[in-house]
Amino acid sequence: MGSNKQKREAIDAKRQAQRDDVREQARREIELSRRRDFEARLARGEVAVEPSRLAPSNSYSIPHFVERGTYQPQPFVCKDCGVAEVWTPLQQKWWYETAKGDVFTTATRCRACRARERARKAAARRAHLEGLARRKLPAS
Ligand SMILES: [Zn+2]
């Protein structure tokens, strides 16, 4: 025959188990709704983020796309020519996960201006290197 203390302990243990069950069920429901939201995003054409492929960041804040788990189309206005363009989910995935672009950078130039800017930088680099080469030539 159990003492009062043993009975009380048994009741407490049962109550604790019930509380754990409720908590576990709530956790599972949140997980399920997150999963459904994620699937719906992919169905809309968003693209999954692979956090392990991102460039490391010193910031404590987490980019929105990492929290969300997907890249979504991002409209922006080109800072050079003012044209409206959309940065697509696949372009973002390439920028962050393949080119290892900083996770807090976003598209600022349209495709045409990006190409122009790349050519301008390449020309400047070439001119700089040619300048250095000329200076290294022995004076005659
Ligand atoms: Zn532009």
Side-chain angles (χ1 to χ4, degrees), residues 30-66:
I30 289 169
E31 182 62 35
L32 192 64
S33 95
R34 251 192 220 134
R35 189 78 218 164
R36 283 204 197 100
D37 178 60
F38 181 72
E39 301 290 344
R41 288 176 180 288
L42 295 185
R44 283 202 297 270
E46 296 184 19
V47 172
V49 174
E50 288 173 67
S52 65
R53 300 193 60 207
L54 300 171
S57 167
N58 290 328
S59 175
Y60 287 110
S61 51
I62 299 168
H64 291 309
F65 66 86
V66 174

Side-chain angles (χ1 to χ4, degrees), residues 78-124:
C78 175
K79 72 175 185 181
D80 286 354
C81 71
V83 84
E85 213 172 77
V86 173
W87 198 25
T88 70
L90 284 177
Q91 287 171 335
Q92 293 169 47
K93 189 176 181 68
W94 178 86
W95 171 246
Y96 295 122
E97 298 181 13
T98 303
K100 308 293 179 195
D102 184 292
V103 293
F104 290 101
T105 57
T106 58
T108 55
R109 286 188 177 90
C110 72
R111 193 175 280 272
C113 288
R114 254 197 330 270
R116 230 189 327 270
E117 179 67 6
R118 224 182 351 256
R120 189 193 63 75
K121 278 187 181 161

Side-chain angles (χ1 to χ4, degrees), residues 5 8 21 28-29 31 44 69 74 83 95 98 128:
K5 185 168 182 273
R8 203 168 49 241
D21 279 354
R28 246 183 252 145
E29 270 162 27
E31 182 62 35
R44 283 202 297 270
Q74 226 178 90
V83 84
W95 171 246
T98 303
H128 174 70

